[in-house]
Amino acid sequence: LLTPDEFVARLRAEGVGRYHDQHPFHVRMHAGTLSRGDLQAWTLNRYYYQTRIPIKDALIVAKSEDPAFRRMWIRRIADHDGEASNDATKATKATEATEATKTGGLALWLKLAEAVGLDRDEVASCRSVLPGVRFACDSYVELVRGSPLVVAVASSLTEMFAPDIMSKRIAAWAEHYPWVGAEALAYFEVRVTRAARDGEEGLAFVVEHATSRALQEACVGALVRKTEILWHLLDCVQLSRAGAAG
Amino acid sequence: LLTPDEFVARLRAEGVGRYHDQHPFHVRMHAGTLSRGDLQAWTLNRYYYQTRIPIKDALIVAKSEDPAFRRMWIRRIADHDGEASNDATKATKATEATEATKTGGLALWLKLAEAVGLDRDEVASCRSVLPGVRFACDSYVELVRGSPLVVAVASSLTEMFAPDIMSKRIAAWAEHYPWVGAEALAYFEVRVTRAARDGEEGLAFVVEHATSRALQEACVGALVRKTEILWHLLDCVQLSRAGAAG
């Protein structure tokens, strides 16, 4: 068995080294060289990933026999689905932090989609999502569905790296894509603190419950698979934009 | 396709006719002829059923693509898991209605178990649950896991009949088993209003989303199966108590 420190170091190393912030398309996003069409393609396709989050989180909740764990984890579902109606009217108030919290991540993402010039309903329908993006995101749900609880939780540990990427994204978009508008970045903003909290909770759970070398390896494997999913999403978006006019 | 009225009438008829309030063991419970040992056996075994509820509800949440539906349904998970820590200290305050709400149904049931003279940890461990009870309750989870969303929701429609049975149970226990104590009946009390709400929400969803005759029949079938699960639980408890000393 790896010691907790060794296990955490291993998870971090495998995760950091493969995290999608290093993907060429993502590097270009933060460097400010993506076109409006590129940002739209990313926003539309990434929305499908966002819609899978509450579904995979509900599957994780269903795997636990512990009310305390379930109480902790259903908050993630509420984070994305919101606590009040997610309709467009409410979403326009998302600049207030409290309102953004109630609105939920999915509605905030649709607000972002509108801000980059997409049609809200078109994005919400997911009908234009690239096939490869759909395959990758669906495979995330199936990975969670088919894994023991601790391994399913480990697949969420990319959250550990999210606060940093979100902070950088807010700054990069404000600098390079000011036409999007600061208020549309509310999703990235709420994720800075939530992802930090989610990453810490997830890591603590995984360290405590991966009680064999085999489970530890399965957890590392799930995190690696998750990074591949996020990476492939960007591969697909990048490929679809190769040679596009803008 | 059955009209909404026909469909609702069919669901009610199939459900009412098979509901476990007519099971001989349950009739004896409300008539006041169960022994302390009988009540203990029922309370201990029924707890395993209770523990399956948030798990099957999380599976239902995972089947939905609609944030509004998921927001509605995760409240059921919170109803059973509670909103605060479910520890024994908190559960002792369950006489206050607001506290009972926060405490959650599982903790309230363990309070009931203590009041009928059982060891809380023994009940919570589920290690003494009768095999047949376990089979039946696990089959409920698997029924939900393997069914389309609308059929999974239909399996919850026994909630339509729960307010009545809970109201009668509170009166019957107060009259016939006063040694249990009124404050231990908080679980039954919170379910009166919650089950009414859950039954109405579930029925409205099923009527709207069972959009083919085949789906309507599958919904009726799921409700019938659910009544069989509840009935079998009582069969097993009754059989285990046959000839018991008290």
Side-chain angles (χ1 to χ4, degrees):
Chain A
L1 203 68
L2 299 175
T3 67
D5 284 350
E6 288 169 341
F7 185 34
V8 169
R10 176 84 191 286
L11 287 164
R12 283 194 189 280
E14 297 282 3
V16 167
R18 301 162 191 269
Y19 197 52
H20 63 163
D21 63 335
Q22 297 157 69
H23 189 286
F25 190 85
H26 202 278
V27 170
R28 288 179 53 213
M29 179 195 290
H30 284 199
T33 62
L34 292 190
S35 69
R36 178 180 164 98
D38 293 333
L39 283 188
Q40 288 179 341
W42 176 79
T43 304
L44 181 145
N45 281 283
R46 171 80 189 195
Y47 181 71
Y48 186 64
Y49 174 84
Q50 300 297 131
T51 66
R52 299 307 92 189
I53 297 175
I55 291 172
K56 68 91 184 167
D57 280 328
L59 290 172
I60 288 176
V61 169
K63 288 175 190 289
S64 170
E65 295 285 336
D66 178 7
F69 176 89
R70 293 193 300 252
R71 261 197 309 277
M72 174 178 82
W73 210 269
I74 61 169
R75 196 194 48 218
R76 297 182 186 221
I77 302 174
D79 283 349
H80 290 277
D81 285 342
E83 292 174 14
S85 170
N86 273 354
D87 64 32
T89 319
K90 294 273 178 95
T92 59
K93 298 184 197 156
T95 44
E96 280 187 68
T98 53
E99 195 60 33
T101 302
K102 285 183 195 163
T103 302
L106 290 171
L108 293 178
W109 196 277
L110 291 174
K111 192 87 187 89
L112 177 72
E114 289 181 304
V116 300
L118 293 165
D119 179 73
R120 187 184 192 279
D121 293 340
E122 165 73 8
V123 176
S125 76
C126 295
R127 65 180 163 240
S128 304
V129 170
L130 293 163
V133 169
R134 194 176 291 272
F135 302 150
C137 297
D138 288 352
S139 84
Y140 183 26
V141 175
E142 295 314 310
L143 172 66
V144 167
R145 196 193 309 274
S147 296
L149 176 59
V150 65
V151 178
V153 169
S155 72
S156 76
L157 290 181
T158 45
E159 296 287 7
M160 293 193 292
F161 319 119
D164 184 54
I165 201 174
M166 291 293 166
S167 299
K168 287 178 178 159
R169 191 176 292 160
I170 294 164
W173 283 48
E175 181 183 350
H176 302 299
Y177 316 109
W179 53 271
V180 176
E183 71 282 359
L185 309 182
Y187 178 81
F188 305 147
E189 281 159 14
V190 300
R191 289 310 302 166
V192 172
T193 48
R194 286 179 183 171
R197 175 205 67 194
D198 291 352
E200 285 165 20
E201 285 177 355
L203 186 63
F205 182 86
V206 166
V207 169
E208 183 181 350
H209 292 89
T211 51
S212 72
R213 192 75 176 84
L215 273 178
Q216 287 180 331
E217 284 305 319
C219 287
V220 171
L223 177 57
V224 168
R225 174 63 52 88
K226 170 69 171 300
T227 63
E228 292 169 348
I229 288 161
L230 293 170
W231 194 275
H232 190 67
L233 191 159
L234 295 179
D235 277 348
C236 294
V237 173
Q238 183 177 43
L239 185 63
S240 79
R241 297 298 301 165
Chain B
L1 203 68
L2 298 175
T3 67
D5 284 352
E6 288 169 342
F7 185 33
V8 169
R10 176 84 192 285
L11 287 163
R12 283 195 189 279
E14 298 281 4
V16 167
R18 302 161 191 269
Y19 197 51
H20 63 161
D21 62 336
Q22 297 158 68
H23 189 286
F25 190 86
H26 202 279
V27 170
R28 287 179 53 213
M29 180 195 290
H30 283 200
T33 62
L34 291 190
S35 69
R36 178 180 163 99
D38 293 333
L39 282 188
Q40 288 179 342
W42 176 78
T43 305
L44 181 145
N45 281 284
R46 171 80 190 195
Y47 182 71
Y48 186 64
Y49 174 83
Q50 300 299 129
T51 66
R52 299 306 92 188
I53 297 175
I55 291 171
K56 69 91 185 167
D57 280 328
L59 290 172
I60 287 176
V61 169
K63 288 175 190 288
S64 171
E65 294 285 336
D66 178 6
F69 176 88
R70 293 193 300 252
R71 262 198 309 277
M72 175 178 81
W73 210 269
I74 63 170
R75 196 196 45 218
R76 298 182 186 221
I77 302 175
D79 283 349
H80 290 277
D81 286 340
E83 292 174 13
S85 170
N86 273 353
D87 64 32
T89 318
K90 293 273 176 96
T92 59
K93 298 183 197 157
T95 45
E96 278 187 71
T98 53
E99 196 61 33
T101 303
K102 285 182 195 162
T103 301
L106 290 172
L108 293 178
W109 196 277
L110 292 174
K111 192 86 186 92
L112 177 71
E114 289 181 305
V116 300
L118 292 165
D119 179 73
R120 186 184 192 280
D121 293 340
E122 165 73 6
V123 176
S125 76
C126 295
R127 65 181 161 240
S128 304
V129 170
L130 292 164
V133 169
R134 193 176 290 272
F135 301 150
C137 297
D138 288 351
S139 83
Y140 184 27
V141 174
E142 294 313 310
L143 171 67
V144 167
R145 196 193 308 274
S147 297
L149 175 59
V150 65
V151 177
V153 169
S155 72
S156 76
L157 290 181
T158 45
E159 296 287 7
M160 293 193 291
F161 319 120
D164 183 54
I165 200 174
M166 291 295 164
S167 298
K168 287 178 178 161
R169 192 176 291 160
I170 293 164
W173 283 47
E175 180 184 350
H176 302 299
Y177 315 110
W179 53 270
V180 175
E183 71 282 0
L185 308 183
Y187 178 81
F188 305 148
E189 280 159 16
V190 300
R191 288 312 300 166
V192 173
T193 49
R194 286 179 182 170
R197 176 204 67 195
D198 291 353
E200 284 166 21
E201 285 177 353
L203 185 63
F205 182 86
V206 167
V207 169
E208 183 181 349
H209 292 89
T211 51
S212 72
R213 192 74 178 83
L215 272 178
Q216 287 180 331
E217 284 306 318
C219 287
V220 172
L223 176 56
V224 168
R225 174 63 51 88
K226 170 70 171 300
T227 62
E228 292 169 350
I229 288 162
L230 294 170
W231 193 274
H232 190 67
L233 192 158
L234 295 179
D235 278 348
C236 294
V237 173
Q238 184 177 43
L239 184 63
S240 80
R241 297 298 302 164

